[in-house]
Amino acid sequence: MGLTMALIIGLAILIALYRFGKQLFIISNYFGLLVFPSVFFIGILAVELHEQKNWRTHYSQLSNFTPDRNQDFQLKVREVLKSSLYQDKYLVKVLRINDKKVSGQVLLNVEKDSLTPNLKVDDLLHLRGKMVDIKGPLNPHQFDYRHYLENQYV
């Protein structure tokens, strides 16, 4: 919150200097000195706001959240991914954990079964289970699916 307020004040000063200098037909060196840090901090703010793990409502920010313990999840299917030989894969949005409203995305692996129908986009799920980390590559220089999903904010 402090960074946001500092950026707003800095931008207000920047705009005021520009307008004042434009009226006098001179733009001082102070304007140039303020532009560089302003753009730099705007870039940092954009990255920080885009990183979902920094949000207060992200499921990893819950104080009582332990991924290796069974918990109640309410999920919404966002995307159906390519299935493997033994599992169907879905990208799901986490809506609630133990009746607390949260946000975030996770990968849901469902064991293939001929009796159960496949999930569709926007299906709501109420599950009890635990989260497991995606395993990294076993061989060096192999494709790292875990790292790929982290870059996709999953």
Side-chain angles (χ1 to χ4, degrees):
M1 189 68 168
L3 180 64
T4 306
M5 189 58 75
L7 280 174
I8 291 172
I9 292 171
L11 284 175
I13 292 171
L14 185 67
I15 291 169
L17 277 175
Y18 179 75
R19 288 185 183 237
F20 180 71
K22 194 174 178 182
Q23 287 176 353
L24 299 175
F25 298 110
I26 54 170
I27 296 179
S28 67
N29 293 336
Y30 297 115
F31 178 74
L33 291 174
L34 280 176
V35 167
F36 177 72
S38 297
V39 170
F40 180 75
F41 286 116
I42 287 171
I44 290 175
L45 178 67
V47 169
E48 288 297 313
L49 290 176
H50 192 69
E51 180 65 42
Q52 295 178 3
K53 289 184 180 179
N54 294 336
W55 298 355
R56 277 184 259 158
T57 59
H58 194 266
Y59 66 87
S60 63
Q61 302 291 334
L62 283 178
S63 59
N64 62 350
F65 178 69
T66 52
D68 56 345
R69 197 181 89 216
N70 279 342
Q71 305 198 33
D72 295 320
F73 295 97
Q74 182 180 4
L75 309 170
K76 184 176 187 177
V77 178
R78 292 193 51 167
E79 188 176 341
V80 178
L81 302 176
K82 184 178 177 182
S83 298
S84 67
L85 192 58
Y86 301 106
Q87 295 177 334
D88 292 322
K89 296 180 181 184
Y90 303 95
L91 187 62
V92 296
K93 182 178 180 182
V94 182
L95 301 175
R96 293 183 177 276
I97 296 178
N98 296 332
D99 294 327
K100 288 189 180 179
K101 189 173 182 180
V102 294
S103 63
Q105 297 183 89
V106 294
L107 178 69
L108 176 66
N109 289 325
V110 178
E111 203 169 309
K112 282 190 175 181
D113 187 4
S114 61
L115 299 177
T116 57
N118 291 339
L119 300 174
K120 296 176 184 69
V121 174
D122 289 335
D123 282 352
L124 282 175
L125 305 169
H126 297 275
L127 305 172
R128 180 156 181 81
K130 57 185 171 183
M131 289 190 180
V132 179
D133 285 335
I134 298 170
K135 294 178 183 173
L138 299 175
N139 297 325
H141 308 295
Q142 188 178 10
F143 179 70
D144 191 352
Y145 192 56
R146 176 176 56 189
H147 183 68
Y148 169 75
L149 287 177
E150 282 177 7
N151 289 337
Q152 301 296 320
Y153 302 105
V154 177

